Amino acid sequence: MKPLLFRVPTVDDRSFRVQEDNEFHFYDRLHFHPEIQLTLILEGQGTQVVGDKIDRFRPYDMLLLGDNLPHVFRSDPEYFQPNSHLRSVSWSIFFRAETLSNSLFSLPELAPLNHLLREARHGVRLRCGGSTSLTERFESLPHLRPFEQIVSFLLVLDELASNSSREILSTMAYEQPRRPDDHQRLDQIFNYILQHYDSPITLEDVADVANLTPSAFCRFFKIHTRKTFSHLLNEVRVEHACRLLHQSGQSISQIAFACGYTNLSNFNRQFKVITGMTPKEYLKTSNL
């Protein structure tokens, strides 16, 4: 997807910027920026979009997102409730590839880190599962002196690069988008889907949101996401169904209807297409 350009504020000439986000919910607009982003999520969960990959984020996920890679961490609905006491907390490091590749990263000893940055164009995730020496190093980084920060930052990248459990998220790498109007249109479409996935959504409904005819919308959507609208909608619905299967005591049929499906057999079929297993099989594996 090609979303909104986001400007990362800079206050000095440092080679990277450390930022804490501690809010009720994370920034919920699909966006991109020219900086590479390394993020550790400490609190909060919800729907994550990185390039063409849609799934969940949760505490102690570490993500490395390449420059101009569209992404959003949209907190679950309960984080937006007026009386919610839930928090969404993360630490992020923003840096420009050219800043490091023209100096430190040109050293042969740092070749694994260069490989990691190439992977970052697709998005990289490491699910730490809890506090580890890696996450502790990351969390301590904001409190160090500038020299200690750069050393610790490189150690974090090195450990991430050498960890075989890291995942590549998006099937596509992204270049800088060219048309701002398309970014805003896609953001509107994406937000509409996330807000209404639990209700019937017709092609005409979402085309109207994009201010396009249905046929023009289909062309636009396929060009910018390389997916059909129906496939993306099913991905969002199944992602939320997985969350409910984990967290709620509802039956499979109740979950199907809660995620916008009006036909249980269609829900089962789409669930298997996207996850590779039936809802019953998913329940068994998630309870192991």
Side-chain angles (χ1 to χ4, degrees), residues 1-6 30-34 67-70 174-184 186 224:
M1 297 181 184
K2 297 182 178 179
L4 303 174
L5 174 62
F6 186 85
L30 194 66
H31 64 285
F32 69 96
H33 39 72
D67 51 307
N68 299 313
L69 179 64
Y174 286 76
E175 302 297 336
Q176 183 172 350
R178 297 180 180 178
R179 297 182 56 185
D181 289 348
D182 288 349
H183 314 160
Q184 184 173 2
L186 279 163
H224 290 286

Side-chain angles (χ1 to χ4, degrees), residues 17-231:
R17 180 176 184 273
V18 181
Q19 173 178 302
E20 180 187 19
D21 290 293
N22 188 338
E23 305 289 345
F24 292 113
H25 55 80
F26 290 129
Y27 181 69
D28 63 347
R29 303 292 297 274
L30 194 66
H31 64 285
F32 69 96
H33 39 72
E35 295 83 7
I36 298 174
Q37 175 179 341
L38 178 64
T39 291
L40 174 64
I41 294 172
L42 295 173
E43 294 183 42
Q45 58 183 343
T47 300
Q48 165 188 296
V49 178
V50 175
D52 63 359
K53 176 71 171 179
I54 299 174
D55 64 354
R56 301 283 297 166
F57 70 84
R58 61 194 187 201
Y60 291 101
D61 279 358
M62 184 176 291
L63 299 109
L64 182 64
L65 309 174
D67 51 307
N68 299 313
L69 179 64
H71 60 278
V72 65
F73 303 113
R74 187 178 178 90
S75 304
D76 283 335
E78 53 265 32
Y79 288 81
F80 292 85
Q81 297 301 315
N83 298 321
S84 173
H85 298 292
L86 298 171
R87 303 294 296 182
S88 297
V89 181
S90 69
W91 279 104
S92 295
I93 299 170
F94 296 91
F95 61 100
R96 297 281 189 128
E98 61 270 21
T99 302
L100 297 178
S101 61
N102 293 337
S103 52
L104 279 175
F105 280 34
S106 61
L107 297 173
E109 292 84 357
L110 297 186
L113 302 195
N114 275 312
H115 178 73
L116 179 66
L117 294 190
R118 288 193 293 272
E119 290 182 341
R121 298 185 63 221
H122 298 264
V124 176
R125 175 174 63 195
L126 178 64
R127 299 207 123 147
C128 300
S131 181
T132 66
S133 59
L134 175 60
T135 64
E136 288 173 2
R137 184 186 299 279
F138 196 118
E139 289 184 73
S140 67
L141 194 147
H143 311 293
L144 302 175
R145 295 184 299 109
F147 177 79
E148 294 172 325
Q149 281 189 335
I150 193 68
V151 172
S152 190
F153 169 55
L154 291 175
L155 288 171
V156 168
L157 288 180
D158 181 62
E159 190 167 342
L160 182 58
S162 61
N163 194 308
S164 61
S165 296
R166 71 184 186 278
E167 309 167 64
I168 305 299
L169 296 175
S170 176
T171 60
M172 298 178 292
Y174 286 76
E175 302 297 336
Q176 183 172 350
R178 297 180 180 178
R179 297 182 56 185
D181 289 348
D182 288 349
H183 314 160
Q184 184 173 2
R185 180 172 280 157
L186 279 163
D187 182 62
Q188 290 170 339
I189 293 168
F190 179 75
N191 279 310
Y192 183 83
I193 292 171
L194 283 181
Q195 291 169 9
H196 299 90
Y197 72 89
D198 56 351
S199 304
I201 301 178
T202 66
L203 177 60
E204 289 73 18
D205 290 335
V206 73
D208 187 57
V209 170
N211 198 26
L212 295 169
T213 66
S215 59
F217 169 81
C218 289
R219 290 193 300 272
F220 170 85
F221 198 78
K222 189 65 181 288
I223 287 171
H224 290 286
T225 69
R226 302 187 189 181
K227 297 181 180 183
T228 64
F229 164 68
S230 60
H231 184 77

